[in-house]
Amino acid sequence: MDVHRATAQALHARDCEIVVIPDGLHADDGMVFQFGDVAMLERGATLWHTHSPEPMAAVLDGLERAGRPLPDLVMADHGWAGCAGQRGIPRSGSRTATTPRSSSPSPRAPSRSPSRWTTTC
């Protein structure tokens, strides 16, 4: 979570908007909520690392239901990023963005700097 919070702070410093997710989202028998500009899955008062795409689907569906714009880019890990990519939203996997041993950035990464971001943990 600290990496994603630091990333969100750095994006704010560059005048990027971090998308605020709607309240009341549920996925994978848990609640999806946002803390420190990072969306995460909570189940039983515990934060869960998951490879499931369902939490991101809940976020994107919730934004659409609320009539709010989708992010220009999603910074997420595993299934969360995959779900965004399946919907045509460019994404950056958190390992790509934060560790040198990872694969190269997504080939769908935009050529311009995105202004609306979602960060997830």
Side-chain angles (χ1 to χ4, degrees):
M1 186 172 138
D2 289 340
V3 169
H4 292 279
R5 286 180 52 206
T7 299
Q9 289 172 349
L11 291 167
H12 273 299
R14 304 284 298 198
D15 294 326
C16 293
E17 174 189 353
I18 304 299
V19 173
V20 176
I21 69 171
D23 291 331
L25 301 178
H26 292 73
D28 293 336
D29 298 322
M31 186 176 94
V32 182
F33 73 101
Q34 195 166 20
F35 177 76
D37 290 327
V38 179
M40 56 194 86
L41 178 67
E42 179 270 333
R43 211 181 306 151
T46 302
L47 299 178
W48 287 78
H49 175 90
T50 177
H51 296 193
S52 169
E54 295 308 312
M56 180 58 74
V59 168
L60 298 176
D61 291 345
L63 290 169
E64 287 178 336
R65 276 192 307 275
R68 296 177 25 207
L70 296 179
D72 295 325
L73 183 111
V74 167
M75 180 180 172
D77 201 3
H78 306 293
W80 293 54
C83 177
Q86 288 177 345
R87 296 200 189 191
I89 299 171
R91 72 265 185 219
S92 174
S94 63
R95 289 193 173 124
T96 300
T98 61
T99 63
R101 69 177 182 271
S102 302
S103 61
S104 61
S106 165
R108 292 181 154 194
S111 58
R112 63 180 179 78
S113 295
S115 59
R116 242 181 350 270
W117 289 67
T118 295
T119 60
T120 65
C121 181

